[in-house]
Amino acid sequence: MLGHETEQVTKGPTATDEVFRVEEHGIDPIPDAERHGGAKEVFWLWFGSNLTFTYVINGALAVAFGLSFWQATAVVVLGGLSFLAIGAAGLSGVRTGTATLVISRAAFGPRGNWPAGLLNWIVSIGYTIVNTVVGTLALEAFFADLGWHGGAVRALSLAVTLALTFAVALWGHATVQFAERWMAYVLAAGFAVLLVLVLPGADTTAPAAAPGASGWSLAFVVMLAGPFSYLPMPADYTRYLPRTTSLKAVTWSGALGGFVSSVALGVAGVAAATQVDMTDAVAGTESLLPSWFQPLFLALVLGGSVTNSIITLYSSSLNLQVLGIPWSRARAIVISAAVTALGSLGALFLTDFTTSLLSFLSLLIIVFAPWGGVFLADMVLRRCTYDSAGLHASGGGPYWYRSGWHPAGVIALVSGLLFSALTCDSELWTGPLVAPLGGADLTLLGAAVSALVYVLLARRTVTPIRA
């Protein structure tokens, strides 16, 4: 089975999970004796990783789509509530001790899981590139304030941003958790100051414009792109938690962490967009700040980009093992880092970043929404119970279905992808149903479509495992 050989390679009796020590485990199940920590770690992971300037950009985009301050703020808050799904998705890691894209074999079958895993890897790398570019532009702006300009400075900024991200992700799980928590302390304090400086000047009295269906739907798509992008990775960070960890605490800790940081920064973006032109979000926000805070602001943008990229880059290495790369997690991450570097070079030197960001965020939902719908529906049907050995079985087992494919999961995913593609409104692709729908982008409903199709097809064959 794809990925089975990798599981054997990465498993070893000396594997430990220590800060600043290269993690030896990959997608193999974490033994009970090596599990540790508590639900509060999940809070710090999602809180720290979402203290990223991308949410400021997303909040500003909501205003650019024609929403007023209060309308855009409502979208930001509703988008933040989606972290409940992210917190819940981590429960499967506690139960199985393995990564999310291994657990999704239960929904799609080991072979059916491969194309879905490939799509998720591509899109997660794309999101890593987005954050890397944002951090690079912030560092470049800092160098510009020192009088350094030119392509060489941009290249240096990219190299520094990538190095900071790669170093932490390479060490592995314990170092990622450690870095996210301590960086969260610093970033939270800095972004709190940003809110204090930007929020009072927000124009909250302007009459609400009439954004129409298109404006509302695009705002929701952009705001939910971040949370939805995490759906293939929550179990990656809960798989070390003891089996006795409270599942309710894991859900609420993850949800609260992501909600607080994403909403706070999203509202900051909304407030900034009512005051200045946010076409260049970093420059626009910087113009609202006193000179003494501007260098610190650029450091916040860089730090937030790095904290977000760390978790996506780390998870991408586990994803590659699921796809069958016969390397350890630490070696596989080199592939993801190299692709991230190449993609970031293209975004920085060959394309318009703002246009590319809008296009990518729109297309991202086409993949993550339907996949997440199937995964979460399967988890609910099974009541989050799995045959852990069966998830890693080669050529048979409870999840082999029809020659390694689960028809219900594959059909449901394709149904959701098709619906999302038909109703997507993006710079790169506009679905044929967008115009008849009055310009509304209903890509998000691909999750509901795929979940409904999966439940209808699998409810009689997918049952919880009895203890």
mmCIF file of all heavy atoms in Angstrom, residues 46-79:
data_model
loop_
_atom_site.group_PDB
_atom_site.id
_atom_site.type_symbol
_atom_site.label_atom_id
_atom_site.label_comp_id
_atom_site.label_asym_id
_atom_site.label_seq_id
_atom_site.Cartn_x
_atom_site.Cartn_y
_atom_site.Cartn_z
ATOM 1 N N TRP A 46 -2.923 26.718 17.501
ATOM 2 C CA TRP A 46 -3.803 27.420 16.567
ATOM 3 C C TRP A 46 -3.838 28.919 16.831
ATOM 4 O O TRP A 46 -4.028 29.706 15.898
ATOM 5 C CB TRP A 46 -5.208 26.817 16.613
ATOM 6 C CG TRP A 46 -5.219 25.408 16.123
ATOM 7 C CD1 TRP A 46 -5.541 24.282 16.822
ATOM 8 C CD2 TRP A 46 -4.853 24.959 14.813
ATOM 9 N NE1 TRP A 46 -5.399 23.174 16.040
ATOM 10 C CE2 TRP A 46 -4.981 23.555 14.793
ATOM 11 C CE3 TRP A 46 -4.433 25.610 13.646
ATOM 12 C CZ2 TRP A 46 -4.702 22.792 13.658
ATOM 13 C CZ3 TRP A 46 -4.146 24.852 12.517
ATOM 14 C CH2 TRP A 46 -4.289 23.467 12.532
ATOM 15 N N PHE A 47 -3.644 29.325 18.069
ATOM 16 C CA PHE A 47 -3.569 30.751 18.368
ATOM 17 C C PHE A 47 -2.318 31.357 17.736
ATOM 18 O O PHE A 47 -2.380 32.372 17.041
ATOM 19 C CB PHE A 47 -3.548 30.966 19.885
ATOM 20 C CG PHE A 47 -3.436 32.418 20.291
ATOM 21 C CD1 PHE A 47 -4.488 33.294 20.102
ATOM 22 C CD2 PHE A 47 -2.268 32.899 20.868
ATOM 23 C CE1 PHE A 47 -4.388 34.631 20.481
ATOM 24 C CE2 PHE A 47 -2.149 34.227 21.253
ATOM 25 C CZ PHE A 47 -3.214 35.098 21.054
ATOM 26 N N GLY A 48 -1.178 30.729 17.959
ATOM 27 C CA GLY A 48 0.076 31.268 17.433
ATOM 28 C C GLY A 48 0.161 31.216 15.923
ATOM 29 O O GLY A 48 0.579 32.184 15.281
ATOM 30 N N SER A 49 -0.256 30.117 15.328
ATOM 31 C CA SER A 49 -0.114 29.968 13.876
ATOM 32 C C SER A 49 -1.050 30.873 13.092
ATOM 33 O O SER A 49 -0.833 31.118 11.901
ATOM 34 C CB SER A 49 -0.358 28.508 13.474
ATOM 35 O OG SER A 49 -1.682 28.108 13.788
ATOM 36 N N ASN A 50 -2.090 31.389 13.755
ATOM 37 C CA ASN A 50 -3.023 32.282 13.062
ATOM 38 C C ASN A 50 -2.812 33.757 13.394
ATOM 39 O O ASN A 50 -3.619 34.598 12.993
ATOM 40 C CB ASN A 50 -4.463 31.869 13.372
ATOM 41 C CG ASN A 50 -4.861 30.620 12.622
ATOM 42 O OD1 ASN A 50 -5.126 30.653 11.425
ATOM 43 N ND2 ASN A 50 -4.872 29.491 13.320
ATOM 44 N N LEU A 51 -1.739 34.049 14.090
ATOM 45 C CA LEU A 51 -1.349 35.448 14.264
ATOM 46 C C LEU A 51 -0.546 35.867 13.036
ATOM 47 O O LEU A 51 0.631 36.213 13.100
ATOM 48 C CB LEU A 51 -0.524 35.617 15.541
ATOM 49 C CG LEU A 51 -1.309 35.515 16.850
ATOM 50 C CD1 LEU A 51 -0.379 35.437 18.047
ATOM 51 C CD2 LEU A 51 -2.272 36.704 16.998
ATOM 52 N N THR A 52 -1.200 35.805 11.910
ATOM 53 C CA THR A 52 -0.553 36.061 10.636
ATOM 54 C C THR A 52 -1.237 37.213 9.909
ATOM 55 O O THR A 52 -2.470 37.366 9.970
ATOM 56 C CB THR A 52 -0.575 34.797 9.752
ATOM 57 O OG1 THR A 52 -0.107 35.106 8.438
ATOM 58 C CG2 THR A 52 -1.978 34.222 9.638
ATOM 59 N N PHE A 53 -0.452 38.005 9.217
ATOM 60 C CA PHE A 53 -0.966 39.208 8.550
ATOM 61 C C PHE A 53 -1.943 38.873 7.425
ATOM 62 O O PHE A 53 -2.683 39.741 6.959
ATOM 63 C CB PHE A 53 0.205 40.025 7.996
ATOM 64 C CG PHE A 53 -0.171 41.399 7.545
ATOM 65 C CD1 PHE A 53 -0.445 42.388 8.465
ATOM 66 C CD2 PHE A 53 -0.254 41.705 6.194
ATOM 67 C CE1 PHE A 53 -0.802 43.666 8.055
ATOM 68 C CE2 PHE A 53 -0.601 42.976 5.769
ATOM 69 C CZ PHE A 53 -0.881 43.960 6.699
ATOM 70 N N THR A 54 -1.974 37.619 7.017
ATOM 71 C CA THR A 54 -2.918 37.214 5.976
ATOM 72 C C THR A 54 -4.347 37.546 6.366
ATOM 73 O O THR A 54 -5.167 37.926 5.515
ATOM 74 C CB THR A 54 -2.799 35.703 5.703
ATOM 75 O OG1 THR A 54 -1.448 35.389 5.360
ATOM 76 C CG2 THR A 54 -3.708 35.280 4.561
ATOM 77 N N TYR A 55 -4.675 37.436 7.652
ATOM 78 C CA TYR A 55 -6.045 37.755 8.090
ATOM 79 C C TYR A 55 -6.322 39.253 8.003
ATOM 80 O O TYR A 55 -7.468 39.660 7.787
ATOM 81 C CB TYR A 55 -6.277 37.245 9.512
ATOM 82 C CG TYR A 55 -6.426 35.747 9.575
ATOM 83 C CD1 TYR A 55 -5.414 34.952 10.091
ATOM 84 C CD2 TYR A 55 -7.566 35.122 9.085
ATOM 85 C CE1 TYR A 55 -5.529 33.574 10.136
ATOM 86 C CE2 TYR A 55 -7.697 33.748 9.115
ATOM 87 C CZ TYR A 55 -6.676 32.980 9.633
ATOM 88 O OH TYR A 55 -6.801 31.606 9.664
ATOM 89 N N VAL A 56 -5.303 40.078 8.174
ATOM 90 C CA VAL A 56 -5.475 41.512 7.970
ATOM 91 C C VAL A 56 -5.816 41.776 6.505
ATOM 92 O O VAL A 56 -6.714 42.562 6.180
ATOM 93 C CB VAL A 56 -4.199 42.280 8.377
ATOM 94 C CG1 VAL A 56 -4.348 43.777 8.070
ATOM 95 C CG2 VAL A 56 -3.902 42.078 9.860
ATOM 96 N N ILE A 57 -5.093 41.095 5.615
ATOM 97 C CA ILE A 57 -5.370 41.221 4.180
ATOM 98 C C ILE A 57 -6.790 40.764 3.877
ATOM 99 O O ILE A 57 -7.536 41.427 3.133
ATOM 100 C CB ILE A 57 -4.357 40.399 3.365
ATOM 101 C CG1 ILE A 57 -2.942 40.924 3.583
ATOM 102 C CG2 ILE A 57 -4.716 40.429 1.879
ATOM 103 C CD1 ILE A 57 -1.867 40.087 2.904
ATOM 104 N N ASN A 58 -7.207 39.641 4.455
ATOM 105 C CA ASN A 58 -8.546 39.118 4.201
ATOM 106 C C ASN A 58 -9.626 40.086 4.679
ATOM 107 O O ASN A 58 -10.645 40.291 4.002
ATOM 108 C CB ASN A 58 -8.714 37.768 4.897
ATOM 109 C CG ASN A 58 -7.837 36.684 4.305
ATOM 110 O OD1 ASN A 58 -7.254 36.866 3.235
ATOM 111 N ND2 ASN A 58 -7.724 35.564 4.999
ATOM 112 N N GLY A 59 -9.425 40.679 5.847
ATOM 113 C CA GLY A 59 -10.394 41.652 6.339
ATOM 114 C C GLY A 59 -10.485 42.863 5.426
ATOM 115 O O GLY A 59 -11.577 43.382 5.158
ATOM 116 N N ALA A 60 -9.338 43.299 4.918
ATOM 117 C CA ALA A 60 -9.325 44.432 3.991
ATOM 118 C C ALA A 60 -10.034 44.085 2.688
ATOM 119 O O ALA A 60 -10.741 44.924 2.096
ATOM 120 C CB ALA A 60 -7.891 44.855 3.716
ATOM 121 N N LEU A 61 -9.875 42.856 2.235
ATOM 122 C CA LEU A 61 -10.534 42.432 1.000
ATOM 123 C C LEU A 61 -12.052 42.448 1.147
ATOM 124 O O LEU A 61 -12.773 42.769 0.193
ATOM 125 C CB LEU A 61 -10.060 41.033 0.602
ATOM 126 C CG LEU A 61 -8.636 40.933 0.041
ATOM 127 C CD1 LEU A 61 -8.240 39.478 -0.145
ATOM 128 C CD2 LEU A 61 -8.534 41.680 -1.285
ATOM 129 N N ALA A 62 -12.545 42.104 2.340
ATOM 130 C CA ALA A 62 -13.993 42.129 2.564
ATOM 131 C C ALA A 62 -14.549 43.531 2.328
ATOM 132 O O ALA A 62 -15.625 43.708 1.736
ATOM 133 C CB ALA A 62 -14.318 41.644 3.975
ATOM 134 N N VAL A 63 -13.820 44.554 2.776
ATOM 135 C CA VAL A 63 -14.234 45.940 2.535
ATOM 136 C C VAL A 63 -14.110 46.280 1.051
ATOM 137 O O VAL A 63 -14.971 46.968 0.479
ATOM 138 C CB VAL A 63 -13.392 46.906 3.381
ATOM 139 C CG1 VAL A 63 -13.742 48.362 3.063
ATOM 140 C CG2 VAL A 63 -13.609 46.634 4.874
ATOM 141 N N ALA A 64 -13.062 45.775 0.423
ATOM 142 C CA ALA A 64 -12.867 46.032 -1.009
ATOM 143 C C ALA A 64 -13.998 45.438 -1.838
ATOM 144 O O ALA A 64 -14.307 45.945 -2.928
ATOM 145 C CB ALA A 64 -11.529 45.447 -1.463
ATOM 146 N N PHE A 65 -14.635 44.386 -1.328
ATOM 147 C CA PHE A 65 -15.755 43.765 -2.050
ATOM 148 C C PHE A 65 -17.059 44.536 -1.853
ATOM 149 O O PHE A 65 -18.104 44.116 -2.353
ATOM 150 C CB PHE A 65 -15.946 42.323 -1.599
ATOM 151 C CG PHE A 65 -14.802 41.413 -1.966
ATOM 152 C CD1 PHE A 65 -14.384 40.422 -1.094
ATOM 153 C CD2 PHE A 65 -14.152 41.556 -3.184
ATOM 154 C CE1 PHE A 65 -13.329 39.586 -1.425
ATOM 155 C CE2 PHE A 65 -13.096 40.717 -3.522
ATOM 156 C CZ PHE A 65 -12.683 39.730 -2.656
ATOM 157 N N GLY A 66 -17.012 45.647 -1.107
ATOM 158 C CA GLY A 66 -18.179 46.511 -0.966
ATOM 159 C C GLY A 66 -18.882 46.441 0.375
ATOM 160 O O GLY A 66 -19.902 47.102 0.570
ATOM 161 N N LEU A 67 -18.359 45.686 1.327
ATOM 162 C CA LEU A 67 -19.003 45.570 2.629
ATOM 163 C C LEU A 67 -18.615 46.743 3.525
ATOM 164 O O LEU A 67 -17.501 47.264 3.442
ATOM 165 C CB LEU A 67 -18.605 44.261 3.312
ATOM 166 C CG LEU A 67 -19.424 43.004 2.955
ATOM 167 C CD1 LEU A 67 -19.233 42.648 1.484
ATOM 168 C CD2 LEU A 67 -19.022 41.828 3.836
ATOM 169 N N SER A 68 -19.536 47.146 4.385
ATOM 170 C CA SER A 68 -19.252 48.193 5.363
ATOM 171 C C SER A 68 -18.427 47.611 6.506
ATOM 172 O O SER A 68 -18.172 46.402 6.568
ATOM 173 C CB SER A 68 -20.556 48.758 5.924
ATOM 174 O OG SER A 68 -21.207 47.788 6.733
ATOM 175 N N PHE A 69 -18.020 48.473 7.440
ATOM 176 C CA PHE A 69 -17.235 48.003 8.584
ATOM 177 C C PHE A 69 -17.957 46.897 9.337
ATOM 178 O O PHE A 69 -17.390 45.839 9.623
ATOM 179 C CB PHE A 69 -16.939 49.175 9.532
ATOM 180 C CG PHE A 69 -16.231 48.755 10.790
ATOM 181 C CD1 PHE A 69 -14.849 48.655 10.828
ATOM 182 C CD2 PHE A 69 -16.960 48.436 11.941
ATOM 183 C CE1 PHE A 69 -14.192 48.248 11.994
ATOM 184 C CE2 PHE A 69 -16.310 48.035 13.110
ATOM 185 C CZ PHE A 69 -14.922 47.942 13.127
ATOM 186 N N TRP A 70 -19.226 47.124 9.674
ATOM 187 C CA TRP A 70 -19.946 46.144 10.483
ATOM 188 C C TRP A 70 -20.280 44.891 9.688
ATOM 189 O O TRP A 70 -20.293 43.774 10.236
ATOM 190 C CB TRP A 70 -21.210 46.764 11.075
ATOM 191 C CG TRP A 70 -20.903 47.832 12.085
ATOM 192 C CD1 TRP A 70 -21.147 49.176 11.980
ATOM 193 C CD2 TRP A 70 -20.244 47.644 13.347
ATOM 194 N NE1 TRP A 70 -20.698 49.845 13.085
ATOM 195 C CE2 TRP A 70 -20.136 48.926 13.953
ATOM 196 C CE3 TRP A 70 -19.749 46.537 14.028
ATOM 197 C CZ2 TRP A 70 -19.555 49.108 15.200
ATOM 198 C CZ3 TRP A 70 -19.163 46.718 15.265
ATOM 199 C CH2 TRP A 70 -19.060 47.983 15.840
ATOM 200 N N GLN A 71 -20.575 45.044 8.405
ATOM 201 C CA GLN A 71 -20.831 43.868 7.585
ATOM 202 C C GLN A 71 -19.573 43.003 7.475
ATOM 203 O O GLN A 71 -19.629 41.779 7.630
ATOM 204 C CB GLN A 71 -21.292 44.303 6.189
ATOM 205 C CG GLN A 71 -22.680 44.910 6.150
ATOM 206 C CD GLN A 71 -22.994 45.524 4.787
ATOM 207 O OE1 GLN A 71 -22.102 45.919 4.043
ATOM 208 N NE2 GLN A 71 -24.281 45.615 4.480
ATOM 209 N N ALA A 72 -18.455 43.653 7.198
ATOM 210 C CA ALA A 72 -17.199 42.914 7.070
ATOM 211 C C ALA A 72 -16.802 42.270 8.393
ATOM 212 O O ALA A 72 -16.300 41.141 8.425
ATOM 213 C CB ALA A 72 -16.092 43.849 6.586
ATOM 214 N N THR A 73 -17.030 42.975 9.502
ATOM 215 C CA THR A 73 -16.719 42.414 10.818
ATOM 216 C C THR A 73 -17.561 41.174 11.098
ATOM 217 O O THR A 73 -17.074 40.178 11.659
ATOM 218 C CB THR A 73 -16.957 43.461 11.919
ATOM 219 O OG1 THR A 73 -16.061 44.564 11.718
ATOM 220 C CG2 THR A 73 -16.724 42.873 13.296
ATOM 221 N N ALA A 74 -18.816 41.210 10.688
ATOM 222 C CA ALA A 74 -19.682 40.037 10.868
ATOM 223 C C ALA A 74 -19.137 38.835 10.091
ATOM 224 O O ALA A 74 -19.148 37.701 10.588
ATOM 225 C CB ALA A 74 -21.105 40.360 10.408
ATOM 226 N N VAL A 75 -18.660 39.087 8.885
ATOM 227 C CA VAL A 75 -18.077 38.009 8.083
ATOM 228 C C VAL A 75 -16.821 37.452 8.762
ATOM 229 O O VAL A 75 -16.600 36.241 8.800
ATOM 230 C CB VAL A 75 -17.741 38.514 6.660
ATOM 231 C CG1 VAL A 75 -16.951 37.460 5.883
ATOM 232 C CG2 VAL A 75 -19.016 38.867 5.911
ATOM 233 N N VAL A 76 -16.013 38.347 9.312
ATOM 234 C CA VAL A 76 -14.794 37.924 10.012
ATOM 235 C C VAL A 76 -15.138 37.021 11.193
ATOM 236 O O VAL A 76 -14.521 35.966 11.398
ATOM 237 C CB VAL A 76 -13.992 39.149 10.496
ATOM 238 C CG1 VAL A 76 -12.887 38.729 11.460
ATOM 239 C CG2 VAL A 76 -13.397 39.896 9.314
ATOM 240 N N VAL A 77 -16.135 37.414 11.978
ATOM 241 C CA VAL A 77 -16.521 36.629 13.159
ATOM 242 C C VAL A 77 -17.086 35.274 12.750
ATOM 243 O O VAL A 77 -16.726 34.231 13.324
ATOM 244 C CB VAL A 77 -17.540 37.400 14.013
ATOM 245 C CG1 VAL A 77 -18.088 36.521 15.133
ATOM 246 C CG2 VAL A 77 -16.897 38.653 14.595
ATOM 247 N N LEU A 78 -17.958 35.260 11.762
ATOM 248 C CA LEU A 78 -18.526 33.991 11.299
ATOM 249 C C LEU A 78 -17.445 33.081 10.730
ATOM 250 O O LEU A 78 -17.475 31.860 10.922
ATOM 251 C CB LEU A 78 -19.607 34.256 10.250
ATOM 252 C CG LEU A 78 -20.895 34.919 10.778
ATOM 253 C CD1 LEU A 78 -21.830 35.280 9.623
ATOM 254 C CD2 LEU A 78 -21.599 33.995 11.768
ATOM 255 N N GLY A 79 -16.475 33.690 10.046
ATOM 256 C CA GLY A 79 -15.366 32.901 9.531
ATOM 257 C C GLY A 79 -14.552 32.280 10.655
ATOM 258 O O GLY A 79 -14.122 31.131 10.567
#
